[in-house]
Amino acid sequence: MIPDSFKQEVLARTDLVELVGRHVRLKKTGANYVGLCPFHAEKTPSFTVSPARQFYHCFGCGAHGNAIGFLMAHAGFGYREAVEELARSAGLRLPQEPAQPAGSRARQERARDLVAVLERALDFYRAQLKASPRAIAYLKGRGLSGEVAARYRLGYAPDEWQGLRAAFADYDDAALVECGLVVEAEGRRYDRFRDRVMFPILDARGAPVGFGGRSLGAGEPKYLNSPETPVFEKGRELFGLVQAREAVRSANRVVLVEGYLDAIALAQFGMGHAVATLGTAITPAQVAKALRLADELVFCFDGDEAGRKAARRALETSLALASDAKTIRFLLLPEGDDPDSFVRREGAEAFAERVRRALPMSEFLIGELRSGADLASAEGRSRFLAAASEPLQRIAASALRLQILKEVASLARVSQEEAERLLGLRTGGQVAARRAPARTPAPATRSLEYQLLRLLLLRPERAAGVDLALADPAIEETRALVGLVEWSRAAGPGGVSAAMLIERFAGTPLAGLLAEAQASVLDLRLAAEEADAEIENCLHGLRVARAGERLEQLRRKVERGEAGREELAVYTRSLQEYEELRRGRMGQSVRYT
């Protein structure tokens, strides 16, 4: 766990305008900066960055966040990777974790050294490609242009046992073995990759962490990847992700294929949103990484039995990661085809049409379940229901699971309630209530609680002193207020900031409402004294509202003749106090409504 205090320091030292400005052309407008949103296609700028609040928000697609969130959404970083990258840029080191107090800093430094070694090897392989007519002929034979080869930084490992001696003065350096470039066996060393076209595998920063090599001769295996190393884990990386980022954002879709050349071929044909796995079964980390970058993920597999098996494994992996807000689809190409051969024969538009018509995960799942059962018989339907139990249990997205359950129940000729009982599922009230979207009243009818929330986002240091008993506990705005106030009290002086507020509530049911409130005050210019006066205005209004509710309860009791002498006295006194409170000094209609 990374301490909040450290994240606070990282965010405080990060200039969000400078960070975003590396990727988005920003123009200063008043106190903020605006530009075209990097997360959806638009012609009129609706993407706003606030330097004072270190917060960005798109008024077109709703994308929002702080510096950490921007690196995750825009560059595909994992959470820890994003914090580490920002910390490095700010000249900070991550605090040592209790479980690894001694070696973590040394490991980080060693990882940087290994990446530098891999970068030098990459430069060597690229230079060797330019000097190898045979390797160039192979790539041209596969239809690759020089431009796309340069974009993916392709190279060639010469057909020599120790070719890397030309790149490294100290061929006996332990780092060459540690990062997987050199093999050490029986007292001798030799290059792992020989006579192979080299495909560099880049991390989210664009730095090489490993390689894939395709044999040009009869050498086996045909494809050879770097081994697991301190900087490379096959199950966490996707080939071509760095090159695909812009196209992924434009299409809001990731096409995940199995081969390096498949991804490159699709990019050459104008479909740059394709990435590839690294010769292993698709992992949860790869699926999660793809879904962070786009709302739609399309798995594309070869049209053979191996491709269908790979699709089934991808389905199993994706069930727990499916979201009601994201779409996962499956595309199986015709028998004997892979993406490379299909797009070269049929063209880009034909492939794009296949992608558009790819089966949603729900249809693919039900099709797989149906293929193993005869729905014409009671026994077959029972088998179908039994087979559906495990995948349905694994789906966390409540709305999607409910839709699939309804389809399963219909095919099995049982009611939804019977299917729920037989499969041990609970898809009704409790789950639905937990995942229901937050209530968001129209701006004209926003509550005083919401107005107070907005002001406290301008003056978060005031939040800790707010009396939560004044807020209506039945509305979503109050839950957001409670979260803000309780967090402020726990954080203490100096621990509250707009950027950290985003961090604290990311992924919670309150995140959307808080982001909306943050965005609504981006252009609001109030001096501290003005904001404090408006906060007191809201608090006074809440006191009046709560007093009026208590008075109304007493009034009803009096009208029903149920009030005793003491309660009548309380009612008379409360009525007088309420009128005095209403006549109390309140400001004019607040400026921010």
Side-chain angles (χ1 to χ4, degrees), residues 72-76 241 248-249 252 254 289-295:
M72 292 175 67
H74 188 270
L241 187 59
V248 165
R249 280 190 289 274
N252 199 18
V254 176
K289 182 173 284 191
L291 289 175
R292 280 201 300 269
L293 295 176
D295 289 339

Side-chain angles (χ1 to χ4, degrees), residues 80-296:
R80 186 178 182 85
E81 289 176 314
V83 177
E84 286 179 343
E85 176 68 9
L86 293 174
R88 184 190 61 77
S89 298
L92 299 172
R93 294 182 183 273
L94 258 65
Q96 294 184 354
E97 299 177 13
Q100 305 170 332
S104 62
R105 182 173 299 180
R107 280 193 294 274
Q108 291 174 17
E109 292 175 352
R110 185 58 175 166
R112 285 193 288 272
D113 292 342
L114 295 180
V115 168
V117 169
L118 290 163
E119 188 74 56
R120 187 186 301 181
L122 173 54
D123 291 341
F124 170 74
Y125 292 142
R126 295 188 70 192
Q128 290 296 305
L129 175 61
K130 294 176 183 178
S132 173
R134 181 162 163 266
I136 292 173
Y138 170 79
L139 292 176
K140 286 184 175 179
R142 296 298 299 260
L144 270 62
S145 67
E147 291 79 10
V148 79
R151 182 183 176 200
Y152 284 87
R153 304 177 73 184
L154 303 188
Y156 171 67
D159 190 12
E160 301 174 16
W161 284 98
Q162 295 185 338
L164 285 172
R165 278 193 180 277
F168 296 93
D170 184 7
Y171 189 75
D172 293 326
D173 186 352
L176 294 175
V177 175
E178 193 173 357
C179 65
L181 292 171
V182 167
V183 177
E184 191 170 48
E186 299 179 357
R188 56 189 293 267
R189 286 179 168 228
Y190 54 89
D191 292 3
R192 180 180 301 275
F193 300 102
R194 303 179 307 280
D195 194 26
R196 291 177 181 271
V197 171
M198 299 297 286
F199 300 86
I201 300 161
L202 310 178
D203 66 9
R205 301 173 182 86
V209 291
F211 291 93
R214 205 285 185 190
S215 174
L216 286 186
E220 291 292 337
K222 182 186 296 184
Y223 282 95
L224 178 66
N225 284 325
S226 293
E228 302 274 320
T229 73
V231 296
F232 178 53
E233 186 178 344
K234 293 178 188 178
R236 303 194 67 84
E237 304 297 341
L238 289 169
F239 173 77
L241 187 59
V242 171
Q243 292 87 351
R245 279 181 193 149
E246 293 300 326
V248 165
R249 280 190 289 274
S250 177
N252 199 18
R253 173 189 293 143
V254 176
V255 176
L256 186 52
V257 298
E258 292 186 277
Y260 304 139
L261 286 169
D262 291 325
I264 294 174
L266 291 175
Q268 185 159 307
F269 275 77
M271 286 165 286
H273 50 288
V275 298
T277 57
L278 308 181
T280 61
I282 290 165
T283 68
Q286 291 169 331
V287 174
K289 182 173 284 191
L291 289 175
R292 280 201 300 269
L293 295 176
D295 289 339
E296 182 175 277

Side-chain angles (χ1 to χ4, degrees), residues 388-395 401-402 404-406 408 416-428 431:
S389 177
E390 183 181 352
L392 282 170
Q393 293 281 2
R394 294 173 61 187
I395 297 174
R401 183 171 66 167
L402 178 60
I404 296 174
L405 175 64
K406 287 177 178 287
V408 166
Q416 179 188 328
E417 293 74 19
E418 289 170 330
E420 287 180 11
R421 186 177 67 255
L422 289 168
L423 301 180
L425 296 174
R426 295 289 182 270
T427 59
V431 172

Side-chain angles (χ1 to χ4, degrees), residues 1-14 19 66-73 75-95 97 108 112 204-205 292 499-500 503-504 506:
M1 296 294 292
I2 303 172
D4 281 352
S5 58
F6 182 78
K7 289 184 279 189
Q8 171 86 353
E9 185 175 6
V10 167
L11 291 169
R13 291 198 188 190
T14 299
L19 176 68
N66 57 18
I68 298 172
F70 185 80
L71 282 184
M72 292 175 67
F77 280 52
Y79 184 83
R80 186 178 182 85
E81 289 176 314
V83 177
E84 286 179 343
E85 176 68 9
L86 293 174
R88 184 190 61 77
S89 298
L92 299 172
R93 294 182 183 273
L94 258 65
E97 299 177 13
Q108 291 174 17
R112 285 193 288 272
R205 301 173 182 86
R292 280 201 300 269
M500 268 305 292
E503 206 58 33
R504 167 63 182 80

